[in-house]
Amino acid sequence: MLTIYGVYRSRATRTLWLAGELGLDFKHVPVIQARRLSDPTSAEAPVNTLTPSYLSINPMGTIPCIDDDGMVLYESMAINLYLARKHGTSLAPSDLVEDAQMMQWSFFAATELETNALKISSTVAEGLANSDAGQAVMDVAARMLRRPFKVLEQHLSGNDYLVGNRFSVADINVAEVVRYAQAHAGLFDANPSVKAWLDRCQSRPAFKAMWDARSTEAA
Ligand SMILES: N[C@@H](CCC(=O)N[C@@H](CS)C(=O)NCC(=O)O)C(=O)O
């Protein structure tokens, strides 16, 4: 049995979206970020990233995490690459080269995009997007993203998807990070192929199902 830990309003979306694409049967345990609770250590608090029983599963206290028949794994990109490979289908790499390319794009998202993309989404989430200070933070983050977005743009101007000209786990891993920057219209206007690719990824039924579930979860 596969268990996926982590609320929808977290990086768990990557794994929940992939599980939908693969049609996996799984148990969802909506562990919430401790920072979103006023007293995460109280006895009444919902299971969160500081709850001892959760820390005994994932000592990092992060979400997502999975337990796949006793095999526990954290780090969202590793989880997704594992699940894709385990269940095969066109979402998984078909050979060693594609495997390397899917890892390349996943590491690229985690190391070259995520920090600055998150600055954009958290500025919006904090309601600061229309303030001068918020705009300045978003513009600096967008400037830092210019180069990796240009690399993505060059690749996607000649390819509909990141690897093997088909939708794969690499697209999920990168699209869910690029989404954090989506509120910065200028970044996407300057990179129309990235915008078109993100639209393609987000128009998939499994993304929409994940997004609907996320939208119904308490903010
Ligand atoms: N690199 C990790 C990062 C995981 C992470 O930091 N997740 C956040 C939620 S999106 C978290 O668990 N934060 C803990 C907390 O806020 O208490 C991954 O990709 O899985």
Side-chain angles (χ1 to χ4, degrees):
M1 178 67 184
L2 172 67
T3 302
I4 301 177
Y5 298 93
V7 288
Y8 276 88
R9 292 180 186 274
S10 76
R11 289 175 177 85
T13 52
R14 300 165 191 182
T15 301
L16 292 161
W17 177 8
L18 175 68
E21 294 280 357
L22 291 169
L24 300 183
D25 203 15
F26 64 91
K27 177 178 166 200
H28 181 219
V29 180
V31 177
I32 190 170
Q33 297 93 332
R35 63 173 172 74
R36 292 175 58 195
L37 302 172
S38 55
D39 187 1
T41 57
S42 87
E44 289 74 40
V47 181
N48 64 78
T49 49
L50 284 180
T51 304
S53 61
Y54 184 61
L55 287 170
S56 72
I57 297 166
N58 174 4
M60 277 303 292
T62 53
I63 46 174
C65 173
I66 60 165
D67 180 329
D68 189 27
D69 285 329
M71 199 284 286
V72 173
L73 198 61
Y74 47 88
E75 284 301 328
S76 57
M77 302 291 178
I79 292 170
N80 276 12
L81 290 165
Y82 161 77
L83 288 175
R85 285 179 194 134
K86 175 173 176 178
H87 296 282
T89 81
S90 56
L91 293 169
S94 63
D95 57 23
L96 185 62
V97 170
E98 283 195 2
D99 193 31
Q101 290 168 337
M102 290 186 190
M103 282 197 285
Q104 172 197 270
W105 286 115
S106 301
F107 280 110
F108 169 87
T111 61
E112 306 295 336
L113 299 177
E114 190 159 48
T115 301
N116 287 300
L118 273 173
K119 284 185 187 156
I120 295 174
S121 65
S122 55
T123 303
V124 173
E126 286 158 18
L128 299 173
N130 294 322
S131 69
D132 288 347
Q135 202 58 60
V137 169
M138 289 170 70
D139 284 344
V140 170
R143 254 203 311 281
M144 301 295 287
L145 287 169
R146 243 192 249 157
R147 183 169 172 164
F149 263 60
K150 202 41 81 193
V151 169
L152 264 181
E153 176 66 20
Q154 274 163 8
H155 186 74
L156 290 167
S157 64
N159 299 281
D160 279 352
Y161 294 104
L162 291 172
V163 177
N165 264 315
R166 64 181 191 283
F167 180 79
S168 75
V169 63
D171 296 288
I172 295 180
N173 284 352
V174 179
E176 276 299 272
V177 175
V178 169
R179 172 168 66 78
Y180 298 145
Q182 217 165 347
H184 199 287
L187 200 50
F188 288 84
D189 290 346
N191 296 287
S193 304
V194 176
K195 186 176 185 322
W197 161 81
L198 189 60
D199 287 346
R200 261 192 310 281
C201 293
Q202 294 182 343
S203 67
R204 297 180 66 85
F207 174 86
K208 289 184 180 163
M210 176 279 284
W211 196 251
D212 286 350
R214 185 185 183 280
S215 309
T216 58
E217 196 178 80

